[in-house]
Amino acid sequence: MSRQHVEHRDIARFADERVNLKREDATELRAQANRLRDRLESYLGEHPDFELRRMLLAGSLAKGTALKSISDIDVACYVSSESAPQAIGDLIEWLAKRLEKAFPNFSPQQIQRKTYSVSVHFVGTGNEVDIVPILYSGDPQWRGSLISQETGEPLITSVPMHLDFIRQRKNANPQDFAQLVRLIKFWVNLRKQEDDGFRFKSFMIELIVAHLADQGLALKDYPEAMQIFFTFLAKDGLNSIIAFSDYYPPRQCPTSNAAVRIWDPVNCENNVGKLYNADNRARIVDAALDAGDAIDSALHAVTKGETIRYWQKVLGPTFDI
Ligand SMILES: Nc1ncnc2c1ncn2[C@@H]1O[C@H](COP(=O)(O)OP(=O)(O)OP(=O)(O)O)[C@@H](O)[C@H]1O
Ligand SMILES: [Mg+2]
């Protein structure tokens, strides 16, 4: 591949400057979530029967895959399933009331009921912590019913096991696993801006990158790794079943004729791509084809200007070197 004008380190530098959440910002956001967790723990010390059992940083901040454009801090809150109401509206109201009790310093306006979560707004920093309930009945691996932020339905899964799963992929490819994920998420955000019907969930991207890395995709060279990621989507059409053997043998997964089949690494009954229909899939595949072509053209372009223009098709108008 011709690397005369744009090479790995140019993509890495762009990622550092424009794509990634800065380390110090991530540290501050994590600290905010951890202060909430610590306060809940001290409340639990005095009220051991309280129905909120544990708070855990979840989502991209916990996984180290957050973008600069991060909008809120995801926190999972384990709630005792015997006491919590099952109906989603009641559950959110119930959770908000318990949070008001455990955090009496917050004014009522700071604790806001959303459709499937409760958000806590910090006045000092302007940060928003999104608290997602998990109905929990004592599993030692912290499996529970996570309330889907897309549909409100309970999904049996384990956030700590997801964090472990991602940690192992990061250990196998330090820096590069998380960086490739962030570059692809950045690409997704650009596609969403130009196509209202485009969706591609971050967790799905992580699982696809994990799938390719597990099969031996080298992530060290970002132009090449991105090219291989897009080529995989374009060639496979997102038709293959993606499953992992970390926590169960993949042959246990049920047969399914869903358009996208990416099984939750901790629960082979939970298809992370369940909400994606053939149209959603086709848009992803088309966009991946375009991105793959653009990288190909960039790698064969003669002039620097031309090379940059092709990369801008993938990484947007702010891409420069
Ligand atoms: N369908 C699902 N099944 C199981 N777990 C899920 C599902 N959706 C989300 N999760 C859990 O929630 C976490 C956060 O999900 P998601 O990938 O949507 O957001 P994120 O990593 O915070 O990315 P973003 O930067 O887009 O906010 C996942 O790591 C996973 O633990
Ligand atoms: Mg998130």
Side-chain angles (χ1 to χ4, degrees):
M1 280 196 224
S2 144
R3 297 304 170 84
Q4 201 184 342
H5 303 297
V6 175
E7 53 180 323
H8 168 78
R9 61 158 191 249
D10 300 308
I11 304 295
R13 188 182 327 113
F14 174 75
D16 211 38
E17 284 167 9
R18 301 275 180 163
V19 174
N20 303 344
L21 180 67
K22 289 260 171 291
R23 188 179 292 274
E24 56 272 25
D25 294 336
T27 306
E28 189 216 302
L29 295 173
R30 284 195 195 104
Q32 189 106 64
N34 290 341
R35 282 195 290 276
L36 265 188
R37 176 201 61 196
D38 295 346
R39 271 198 261 170
L40 176 64
E41 274 174 15
S42 72
Y43 187 86
L44 276 167
E46 289 155 27
H47 307 83
D49 295 327
F50 191 57
E51 300 103 323
L52 308 188
R53 308 304 308 158
R54 179 188 186 186
M55 274 184 171
L56 173 71
L57 185 65
S60 57
L61 259 184
K63 294 178 286 188
T65 50
L67 300 190
K68 202 189 268 300
S69 57
I70 189 168
S71 59
D72 46 25
I73 309 172
D74 301 312
V75 165
C77 183
Y78 283 86
V79 309
S80 149
S81 59
E82 304 108 70
S83 5
Q86 302 288 313
I88 179 67
D90 300 338
L91 173 62
I92 294 306
E93 181 56 35
W94 178 93
L95 174 60
K97 289 234 169 69
R98 298 297 173 294
L99 290 168
E100 283 163 1
K101 206 165 173 185
F103 304 112
N105 301 355
F106 289 124
S107 70
Q109 300 92 292
Q110 281 177 275
I111 298 183
Q112 213 192 348
R113 283 111 174 119
K114 303 220 267 186
T115 321
Y116 305 129
S117 63
V118 177
S119 78
V120 175
H121 178 77
F122 286 88
V123 185
T125 55
N127 294 334
E128 193 107 332
V129 178
D130 219 11
I131 302 179
V132 175
I134 298 182
L135 300 167
Y136 176 67
S137 50
D139 181 83
Q141 286 177 303
W142 294 90
R143 288 174 205 260
S145 291
L146 170 77
I147 300 304
S148 159
Q149 291 303 290
E150 282 136 328
T151 61
E153 72 165 333
L155 305 169
I156 297 176
T157 195
S158 165
V159 171
M161 287 165 81
H162 285 162
L163 298 181
D164 258 5
F165 175 92
I166 298 293
R167 197 170 300 122
Q168 286 186 30
R169 269 65 192 179
K170 288 173 69 173
N171 289 342
N173 286 285
Q175 268 123 51
D176 301 329
F177 176 84
Q179 189 58 79
L180 186 62
V181 165
R182 285 182 294 211
L183 283 163
I184 306 292
K185 284 170 63 168
F186 187 81
W187 168 78
V188 164
N189 285 346
L190 291 162
R191 303 293 73 81
K192 284 181 182 165
Q193 283 168 24
E194 31 182 68
D195 174 5
D196 277 347
F198 190 86
R199 51 199 298 222
F200 199 173
K201 195 180 164 58
S202 299
F203 195 35
M204 280 173 35
I205 293 166
E206 289 169 351
L207 295 177
I208 296 170
V209 174
H211 170 75
L212 294 174
D214 288 2
Q215 291 188 340
L217 163 64
L219 308 183
K220 287 224 157 320
D221 183 89
Y222 300 150
E224 195 172 323
M226 289 171 79
Q227 177 70 304
I228 290 172
F229 176 87
F230 292 129
T231 305
F232 167 75
L233 290 179
K235 284 218 172 110
D236 179 76
L238 211 46
N239 278 304
S240 290
I241 297 171
I242 294 181
F244 299 89
S245 56
D246 297 51
Y247 301 115
Y248 55 78
R251 63 185 148 72
Q252 257 177 26
C253 301
T255 45
S256 155
N257 51 17
V260 175
R261 292 161 298 178
I262 301 178
W263 297 105
D264 182 338
V266 308
N267 174 9
C268 65
E269 310 262 312
N270 177 29
N271 178 7
V272 179
K274 183 166 69 176
L275 301 173
Y276 288 67
N277 61 25
D279 173 60
N280 300 131
R281 183 181 60 186
R283 286 173 199 244
I284 292 173
V285 171
D286 281 353
L289 256 168
D290 288 347
D293 281 351
I295 296 179
D296 220 38
S297 303
L299 294 174
H300 292 99
V302 177
T303 67
K304 184 173 165 187
E306 210 185 334
T307 310
I308 291 173
R309 270 196 303 284
Y310 281 120
W311 272 108
Q312 287 178 341
K313 288 185 187 226
V314 184
L315 294 173
T318 62
F319 179 77
D320 208 351
I321 54 167

